C-alpha cells in the first residue's frame, strides 16, 4: 500500500483530539487528484473518492474545487443515540461514558467536507484504543463473522448481566417445539415436531417474523390436523420457507436444540388449540433463551441471512498508527452517516418487522432478542442494546425505559416507573411477587399507542395479538382485564376515538365489545387527552359507577379472558341525556367531529367511530336531517393548573340496541363514540354556575348496560 509523503502521518497528527486545528494535506484539490492518479498514492485515492462523493451529495461542481486547499483534522463526534452505560467495563462490548464519541477524520476542501470514521476489527491491536468504538460490519448478515457476534452477546448476557437480565436457568417448555437435531448424523438436514416435553425444562429459542401475504407461494408452511402426524415424524429443512430455514441455521449455530415457531407449533385452523396456545404467548416468549427476529424480511419466503449490506461496500482504508503498533481502518461515509452511527438505530425502527402488530409483544416479552436488520445485527436485552457496528452497550437508547418496564427482571426506581403524585408499584417482575397498588395507566395507553400504529391483517386478532402483554400487566398489577381495558381505570379506558382510515374500509371485530378499542379498526384509533402520559387533565369528579362486569371468552376450554371474547358487558349507574346529530364537520379538528345540539340550544362536539356512515345517512335524508343518540356521563376532568382551569365533561355516545337483560330488564346500549363538553370555554361558565343555563335539567339518572 503506497503512501505519499503528505499522507504518511495522517494517522498520527492530532489523532483522537477534539480540535478544529487543521493540517494541510495538499495545497490544492488539483494536487490531490494528481497524487492519486499520477503518484499512485492509495491514501490520496481513498480521500479523493470520499470528497467526490461528498461533492456529488452536496451538488457541488467538482471543477470549482481545483484551487481550494485540502485540509484535515481528527474530531470526536457525538452520535445521535443516547449515552452508553456508565459502569465498570466488563468486556470489549462495554465502554465507559467518557468514551461515547465517534472518532472521525474530517477532510475539507472549499465548502465540501468528507467524513471518515475510524473503525477496527475485534482482533486488531487497535481494539484496545478506547478512542475507537466502531467496527466494520460483515458483508452479509449470515457471515460467520456476524454470527460470532451473537454468540459473544449471548454469552456476555448469560454470564455477566445477571443483575439486570436475571440468572439463566432451564425453563418450562411450550406444548410443542421443533427438535432441530443439531448433533444428528442420521438426519442432518431435517427436524421434527415434539409434543412430549411440557413437563421438562430445557433451553429453547423463539422466532419473531412476518408471515407475509397469503398470495405468496409457500408462505404458510404450517402444522394442521392433517399434517400433524407427518410433522412429528420429520420435516425436511429445504421444505421450510427461507426465513424459517435461516432461523434453524442460526439457532443450531448457537448450540440451542429446540425452536418454537407459531406456524408449526400451533395447530392452524384448530379453534380449540388456538384458544389454549394463544394465552400461553406470554410464557412462551418470556421463558425462551433467545428470540431470533427476522426484522428485515417482510415475508417468511424472504431470507434474512443472505442479504447484502450496502454499508459494507463503502471503501475501507488501512491507516497505521505509530503508538503501540496499533492500526485502524477508515470507513468512508457522509457526515450524516457518522452522526447516525453508520447503520444507525433510526434504520432499526424502519424494518418490516417493527410494523407488525403481533411482534410488539414478542419483542417486549422476550428476555433477549437478536434482530437481523437490513444493515446490521442489533442485540437487545434488559441491560441495553448492542450494535454489530459498535463496540459498546447502549443502555438509554430510544424506547429503553418503555422496554424495561416489560422486559426481564430489571429493577426500576419508583420515580422512573410511576408519577410521583400517585401510589406506585415499586418494581416490575416476571413472577407473581406483586406489590398490589394502583399504577399509572398512562403506561398502558403508551403501549397501546405503539400497538395501534402497527399493521394487523385480521381485526379479530386485535385482542389476541396483545394478550401476552395483558397477561404480564395483570401479573404486575393484579388488576382485572376487561376486553382491552383495565377495571382500575375503566372510565378513562373507555375514552378513545376512531377516525376513518383512508387506506381501507372500516372493520369491526365480532369478538370484542362495542366499548373496547379492539372492536374498531385500530389503525384509526386514538386515545383521549386525559389518558396520555403527563396529561394536564385529571379526574375531578366521577359521575359513573361500575356496578357489574361480565366477560365470556370465545374459547371456554382455555379460560382465556385476554383474547377473543364471545360476549362482554359493563353495567353502570350514572347520568344519561338525549342528543341529536347534524352533518356539520369541523375543518379545524384533527379528526372528523360532529356538531351536537340539545333542546336548550347548548352546542358541543363529539367524535363518532364510523362518522362517514353517519354523515352519508344524514345527507341522504336531506337538509335538516338529524339522528338521535344518548350521552352517558363518565366524569368531570379538570386541568391541574389553578388559574382558570379548563373543565370538561367526558362521556360516551350511545345507541340503543332494543334489547334488555337481567331481572330488572336493563336497557342495552352500544358505544358509538365519545364526547367532551367544555364547561369553561372562555372563563365565563364554570361548574358552579351551570344551573344558570339549566344544563342539568336535560340529564336523568339511569342504570345502563353496555355491550
Amino acid at each position: 500500500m503506497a503512501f505519499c509523503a503528505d499522507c504518511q502521518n495522517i494517522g498520527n497528527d492530532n489523532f483522537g483530539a477534539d480540535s478544529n486545528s487543521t493540517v494541510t494535506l495538499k495545497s490544492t484539490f488539483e494536487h490531490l487528484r494528481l497524487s492519486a492518479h499520477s503518484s499512485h498514492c492509495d491514501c490520496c485515492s481513498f480521500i479523493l473518492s470520499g470528497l467526490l462523493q461528498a461533492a456529488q451529495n452536496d451538488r457541488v461542481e467538482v471543477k470549482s474545487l481545483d484551487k481550494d486547499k485540502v485540509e484535515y483534522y481528527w474530531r470526536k463526534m457525538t452520535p445521535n443515540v443516547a449515552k452508553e452505560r456508565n459502569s465498570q467495563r466488563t468486556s470489549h462490548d462495554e465502554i465507559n461514558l467518557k468514551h461515547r464519541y465517534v472518532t472521525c477524520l474530517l477532510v475539507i476542501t472549499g465548502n465540501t467536507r468528507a467524513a471518515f470514521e475510524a473503525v477496527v476489527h475485534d482482533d486488531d491491536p487497535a481494539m484496545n484504543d478506547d478512542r475507537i468504538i466502531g467496527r466494520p460490519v460483515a458483508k452479509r448478515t449470515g457471515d460467520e463473522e456476524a454470527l460470532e457476534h451473537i454468540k459473544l452477546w449471548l454469552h456476555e448476557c448469560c454470564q455477566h448481566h445477571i443483575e439486570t437480565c436475571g440468572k439463566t436457568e432451564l425453563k418450562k417448555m411450550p406444548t410443542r417445539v421443533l427438535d432441530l437435531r443439531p448433533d444428528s448424523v442420521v438426519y442432518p438436514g431435517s427436524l421434527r415436531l415434539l409434543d412430549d416435553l411440557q413437563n421438562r425444562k430445557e433451553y429453547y429459542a423463539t422466532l419473531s417474523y412476518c408471515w407475509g401475504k397469503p398470495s405468496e407461494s409457500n408462505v404458510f408452511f404450517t402444522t394442521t390436523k392433517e399434517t400433524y402426524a407427518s410433522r412429528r415424524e420429520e420435516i425436511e429443512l429445504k421444505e421450510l420457507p427461507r426465513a424459517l430455514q435461516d432461523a434453524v441455521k442460526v439457532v443450531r449455530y448457537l448450540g440451542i436444540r429446540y425452536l418454537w415457531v407459531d406456524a408449526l407449533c400451533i395447530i392452524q385452523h384448530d379453534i380449540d388449540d388456538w384458544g389454549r396456545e394463544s394465552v400461553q404467548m406470554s410464557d412462551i416468549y418470556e421463558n425462551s433463551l433467545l428470540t431470533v427476529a427476522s426484522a428485515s424480511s417482510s415475508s417468511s419466503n424472504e431470507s434474512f441471512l443472505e442479504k447484502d449490506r450496502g454499508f459494507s461496500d463503502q471503501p475501507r482504508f488501512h491507516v497505521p498508527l505509530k503508538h503501540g503498533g496499533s492500526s485502524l481502518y477508515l470507513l468512508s461515509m457522509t457526515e450524516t452517516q457518522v452522526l447516525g452511527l453508520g447503520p444507525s438505530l433510526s434504520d432499526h425502527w424502519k424494518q418490516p418487522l417493527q410494523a407488525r402488530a403481533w411482534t410488539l409483544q414478542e419483542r417486549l416479552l422476550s428476555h433477549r432478542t437478536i434482530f437481523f436488520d437490513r444493515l446490521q445485527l442489533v442485540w437487545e436485552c434488559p441491560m441495553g442494546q448492542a450494535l454489530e457496528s459498535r463496540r459498546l452497550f447502549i443502555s438509554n437508547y430510544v424506547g429503553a425505559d418503555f422496554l424495561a418496564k416489560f422486559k426481564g427482571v430489571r429493577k426500576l426506581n419508583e420515580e422512573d416507573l410511576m408519577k410521583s403524585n400517585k401510589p406506585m408499584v415499586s418494581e416490575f417482575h416476571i413472577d407473581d411477587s406483586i406489590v398490589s397498588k394502583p399504577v399509572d395507566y398512562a403506561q398502558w395507553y403508551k403501549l397501546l399507542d405503539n400497538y395501534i400504529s402497527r399493521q394487523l391483517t385480521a381485526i379479530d386478532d386485535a385482542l389476541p395479538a396483545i394478550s401476552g402483554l395483558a397477561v404480564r400487566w395483570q401479573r404486575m398489577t393484579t388488576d382485572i382485564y376487561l376486553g382491552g381495558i383495565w377495571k382500575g381505570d375503566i372510565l378513562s379506558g373507555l375514552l378513545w376515538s376512531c377516525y376513518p382510515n383512508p387506506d381501507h374500509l372500516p372493520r369491526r371485530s365480532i369478538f370484542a365489545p362495542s366499548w373496547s378499542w379492539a372492536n374498531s379498526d385500530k389503525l384509526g384509533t386514538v386515545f383521549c387527552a386525559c389518558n396520555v402520559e403527563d396529561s394536564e387533565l385529571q379526574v375531578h369528579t366521577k359521575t359513573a359507577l361500575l356496578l357489574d362486569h361480565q366477560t365470556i371468552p370465545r374459547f371456554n376450554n382455555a379460560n382465556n379472558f385476554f383474547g377473543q371474547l364471545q360476549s362482554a358487558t359493563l353495567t353502570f349507574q350514572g347520568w344519561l341525556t338525549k342528543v341529536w346529530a347534524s352533518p356539520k364537520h369541523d375543518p379545524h379538528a384533527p379528526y372528523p367531529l360532529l356538531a351536537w345540539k340539545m333542546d336548550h340550544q347548548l352546542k358541543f362536539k363529539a367524535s363518532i367511530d364510523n362518522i362517514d356512515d353517519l354523515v352519508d345517512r344524514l345527507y341522504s335524508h336531506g337538509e335538516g336531517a338529524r339522528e338521535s343518540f344518548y350521552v352517558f356521563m363518565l366524569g368531570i376532568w379538570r386541568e391541574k393548573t389553578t388559574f382558570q382551569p379548563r373543565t370538561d365533561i367526558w362521556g360516551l355516545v350511545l345507541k340503543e340496541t332494543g334489547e334488555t337483560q337481567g331481572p330488572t330488564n336493563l336497557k342495552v346500549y352500544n358505544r358509538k363514540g365519545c364526547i367532551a363538553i367544555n364547561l369553561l370555554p372562555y372563563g365565563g361558565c364554570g361548574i358552579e354556575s351551570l344551573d344558570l343555563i339549566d344544563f342539568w335539567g336535560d340529564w336523568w339518572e339511569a342504570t345502563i348496560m353496555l355491550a
Side-chain angles (χ1 to χ4, degrees), residues 9 52 99 150 193 277 335 347 405 443 584 596 682:
N9 291 320
L52 291 175
H99 302 302
I150 306 175
L193 184 67
E277 295 302 309
E335 184 176 351
D347 183 80
K405 294 174 177 64
Q443 299 297 335
K584 180 181 178 182
W596 291 70
Y682 303 104

PDB file of all heavy atoms in Angstrom, residues 9 52 99 150 193 277 335 347 405 443 584 596 682:
ATOM      1  N   ASN A   9       1.775  10.577   7.770  1.00  0.00           N
ATOM      2  CA  ASN A   9       1.495  10.872   9.184  1.00  0.00           C
ATOM      3  C   ASN A   9       0.016  11.141   9.457  1.00  0.00           C
ATOM      4  O   ASN A   9      -0.345  11.643  10.517  1.00  0.00           O
ATOM      5  CB  ASN A   9       2.309  12.096   9.636  1.00  0.00           C
ATOM      6  CG  ASN A   9       3.783  11.800   9.696  1.00  0.00           C
ATOM      7  OD1 ASN A   9       4.185  10.716  10.132  1.00  0.00           O
ATOM      8  ND2 ASN A   9       4.589  12.749   9.245  1.00  0.00           N
ATOM      9  N   LEU A  52     -15.189  13.359  -3.631  1.00  0.00           N
ATOM     10  CA  LEU A  52     -16.023  13.371  -4.831  1.00  0.00           C
ATOM     11  C   LEU A  52     -17.456  12.956  -4.502  1.00  0.00           C
ATOM     12  O   LEU A  52     -18.418  13.526  -5.024  1.00  0.00           O
ATOM     13  CB  LEU A  52     -15.432  12.451  -5.899  1.00  0.00           C
ATOM     14  CG  LEU A  52     -14.113  12.918  -6.534  1.00  0.00           C
ATOM     15  CD1 LEU A  52     -13.577  11.848  -7.483  1.00  0.00           C
ATOM     16  CD2 LEU A  52     -14.315  14.232  -7.284  1.00  0.00           C
ATOM     17  N   HIS A  99     -16.189   7.675  26.873  1.00  0.00           N
ATOM     18  CA  HIS A  99     -15.767   7.248  25.541  1.00  0.00           C
ATOM     19  C   HIS A  99     -16.973   7.093  24.615  1.00  0.00           C
ATOM     20  O   HIS A  99     -17.052   6.160  23.833  1.00  0.00           O
ATOM     21  CB  HIS A  99     -15.006   5.923  25.620  1.00  0.00           C
ATOM     22  CG  HIS A  99     -13.802   5.979  26.500  1.00  0.00           C
ATOM     23  ND1 HIS A  99     -12.773   6.856  26.291  1.00  0.00           N
ATOM     24  CD2 HIS A  99     -13.467   5.273  27.609  1.00  0.00           C
ATOM     25  CE1 HIS A  99     -11.842   6.681  27.222  1.00  0.00           C
ATOM     26  NE2 HIS A  99     -12.252   5.732  28.040  1.00  0.00           N
ATOM     27  N   ILE A 150     -23.278 -12.764  17.758  1.00  0.00           N
ATOM     28  CA  ILE A 150     -24.438 -13.237  18.516  1.00  0.00           C
ATOM     29  C   ILE A 150     -23.984 -14.168  19.630  1.00  0.00           C
ATOM     30  O   ILE A 150     -24.461 -14.078  20.768  1.00  0.00           O
ATOM     31  CB  ILE A 150     -25.431 -13.960  17.593  1.00  0.00           C
ATOM     32  CG1 ILE A 150     -25.807 -13.075  16.412  1.00  0.00           C
ATOM     33  CG2 ILE A 150     -26.690 -14.363  18.372  1.00  0.00           C
ATOM     34  CD1 ILE A 150     -26.687 -13.757  15.391  1.00  0.00           C
ATOM     35  N   LEU A 193     -41.301 -32.171  14.891  1.00  0.00           N
ATOM     36  CA  LEU A 193     -42.143 -31.534  15.893  1.00  0.00           C
ATOM     37  C   LEU A 193     -42.280 -32.459  17.097  1.00  0.00           C
ATOM     38  O   LEU A 193     -42.652 -33.622  16.953  1.00  0.00           O
ATOM     39  CB  LEU A 193     -43.520 -31.230  15.300  1.00  0.00           C
ATOM     40  CG  LEU A 193     -44.512 -30.464  16.186  1.00  0.00           C
ATOM     41  CD1 LEU A 193     -44.019 -29.045  16.439  1.00  0.00           C
ATOM     42  CD2 LEU A 193     -45.892 -30.445  15.533  1.00  0.00           C
ATOM     43  N   GLU A 277     -53.322 -22.263  23.158  1.00  0.00           N
ATOM     44  CA  GLU A 277     -51.938 -21.835  22.961  1.00  0.00           C
ATOM     45  C   GLU A 277     -51.768 -20.319  22.944  1.00  0.00           C
ATOM     46  O   GLU A 277     -50.735 -19.813  23.381  1.00  0.00           O
ATOM     47  CB  GLU A 277     -51.396 -22.428  21.650  1.00  0.00           C
ATOM     48  CG  GLU A 277     -51.288 -23.946  21.666  1.00  0.00           C
ATOM     49  CD  GLU A 277     -50.390 -24.449  22.788  1.00  0.00           C
ATOM     50  OE1 GLU A 277     -49.251 -23.962  22.913  1.00  0.00           O
ATOM     51  OE2 GLU A 277     -50.839 -25.329  23.548  1.00  0.00           O
ATOM     52  N   GLU A 335     -21.033  12.729   6.514  1.00  0.00           N
ATOM     53  CA  GLU A 335     -21.042  13.146   7.915  1.00  0.00           C
ATOM     54  C   GLU A 335     -22.344  12.739   8.593  1.00  0.00           C
ATOM     55  O   GLU A 335     -22.376  12.391   9.767  1.00  0.00           O
ATOM     56  CB  GLU A 335     -20.848  14.653   8.008  1.00  0.00           C
ATOM     57  CG  GLU A 335     -20.758  15.164   9.447  1.00  0.00           C
ATOM     58  CD  GLU A 335     -20.473  16.646   9.508  1.00  0.00           C
ATOM     59  OE1 GLU A 335     -20.175  17.236   8.465  1.00  0.00           O
ATOM     60  OE2 GLU A 335     -20.555  17.191  10.610  1.00  0.00           O
ATOM     61  N   ASP A 347     -32.564   3.371  11.456  1.00  0.00           N
ATOM     62  CA  ASP A 347     -32.910   2.362  10.459  1.00  0.00           C
ATOM     63  C   ASP A 347     -33.577   1.155  11.116  1.00  0.00           C
ATOM     64  O   ASP A 347     -34.430   0.503  10.512  1.00  0.00           O
ATOM     65  CB  ASP A 347     -31.646   1.929   9.703  1.00  0.00           C
ATOM     66  CG  ASP A 347     -31.941   0.926   8.608  1.00  0.00           C
ATOM     67  OD1 ASP A 347     -32.382   1.347   7.530  1.00  0.00           O
ATOM     68  OD2 ASP A 347     -31.738  -0.290   8.842  1.00  0.00           O
ATOM     69  N   LYS A 405     -39.800  -1.632  31.350  1.00  0.00           N
ATOM     70  CA  LYS A 405     -40.965  -1.830  32.199  1.00  0.00           C
ATOM     71  C   LYS A 405     -41.621  -3.182  31.946  1.00  0.00           C
ATOM     72  O   LYS A 405     -42.412  -3.661  32.735  1.00  0.00           O
ATOM     73  CB  LYS A 405     -41.966  -0.709  31.973  1.00  0.00           C
ATOM     74  CG  LYS A 405     -41.450   0.654  32.424  1.00  0.00           C
ATOM     75  CD  LYS A 405     -42.422   1.748  32.029  1.00  0.00           C
ATOM     76  CE  LYS A 405     -41.960   3.101  32.524  1.00  0.00           C
ATOM     77  NZ  LYS A 405     -40.716   3.544  31.943  1.00  0.00           N
ATOM     78  N   GLN A 443     -48.990   4.416  31.216  1.00  0.00           N
ATOM     79  CA  GLN A 443     -48.027   3.485  30.629  1.00  0.00           C
ATOM     80  C   GLN A 443     -48.727   2.467  29.730  1.00  0.00           C
ATOM     81  O   GLN A 443     -48.201   2.063  28.695  1.00  0.00           O
ATOM     82  CB  GLN A 443     -47.243   2.772  31.737  1.00  0.00           C
ATOM     83  CG  GLN A 443     -46.426   3.686  32.626  1.00  0.00           C
ATOM     84  CD  GLN A 443     -45.335   4.412  31.863  1.00  0.00           C
ATOM     85  OE1 GLN A 443     -44.871   3.954  30.829  1.00  0.00           O
ATOM     86  NE2 GLN A 443     -44.934   5.563  32.376  1.00  0.00           N
ATOM     87  N   LYS A 584     -72.453  18.380  10.283  1.00  0.00           N
ATOM     88  CA  LYS A 584     -71.572  19.541  10.195  1.00  0.00           C
ATOM     89  C   LYS A 584     -70.173  19.141  10.618  1.00  0.00           C
ATOM     90  O   LYS A 584     -69.947  18.711  11.739  1.00  0.00           O
ATOM     91  CB  LYS A 584     -72.083  20.669  11.093  1.00  0.00           C
ATOM     92  CG  LYS A 584     -71.225  21.924  11.049  1.00  0.00           C
ATOM     93  CD  LYS A 584     -71.776  22.994  11.973  1.00  0.00           C
ATOM     94  CE  LYS A 584     -70.891  24.241  11.971  1.00  0.00           C
ATOM     95  NZ  LYS A 584     -71.393  25.266  12.889  1.00  0.00           N
ATOM     96  N   TRP A 596     -73.116  18.966  17.853  1.00  0.00           N
ATOM     97  CA  TRP A 596     -74.288  18.390  18.526  1.00  0.00           C
ATOM     98  C   TRP A 596     -75.137  19.515  19.089  1.00  0.00           C
ATOM     99  O   TRP A 596     -74.642  20.575  19.435  1.00  0.00           O
ATOM    100  CB  TRP A 596     -73.829  17.455  19.653  1.00  0.00           C
ATOM    101  CG  TRP A 596     -73.188  16.216  19.129  1.00  0.00           C
ATOM    102  CD1 TRP A 596     -71.996  16.112  18.505  1.00  0.00           C
ATOM    103  CD2 TRP A 596     -73.727  14.907  19.156  1.00  0.00           C
ATOM    104  NE1 TRP A 596     -71.739  14.833  18.136  1.00  0.00           N
ATOM    105  CE2 TRP A 596     -72.797  14.057  18.532  1.00  0.00           C
ATOM    106  CE3 TRP A 596     -74.904  14.353  19.638  1.00  0.00           C
ATOM    107  CZ2 TRP A 596     -73.003  12.700  18.389  1.00  0.00           C
ATOM    108  CZ3 TRP A 596     -75.110  12.998  19.499  1.00  0.00           C
ATOM    109  CH2 TRP A 596     -74.164  12.189  18.876  1.00  0.00           C
ATOM    110  N   TYR A 682     -64.246  30.175  27.835  1.00  0.00           N
ATOM    111  CA  TYR A 682     -63.534  31.456  27.887  1.00  0.00           C
ATOM    112  C   TYR A 682     -63.512  32.030  29.299  1.00  0.00           C
ATOM    113  O   TYR A 682     -63.456  33.234  29.506  1.00  0.00           O
ATOM    114  CB  TYR A 682     -64.186  32.461  26.934  1.00  0.00           C
ATOM    115  CG  TYR A 682     -64.253  31.991  25.524  1.00  0.00           C
ATOM    116  CD1 TYR A 682     -65.451  31.526  24.978  1.00  0.00           C
ATOM    117  CD2 TYR A 682     -63.112  31.957  24.742  1.00  0.00           C
ATOM    118  CE1 TYR A 682     -65.506  31.057  23.681  1.00  0.00           C
ATOM    119  CE2 TYR A 682     -63.164  31.494  23.435  1.00  0.00           C
ATOM    120  CZ  TYR A 682     -64.364  31.053  22.908  1.00  0.00           C
ATOM    121  OH  TYR A 682     -64.412  30.582  21.628  1.00  0.00           O
TER     122      TYR A 682
END
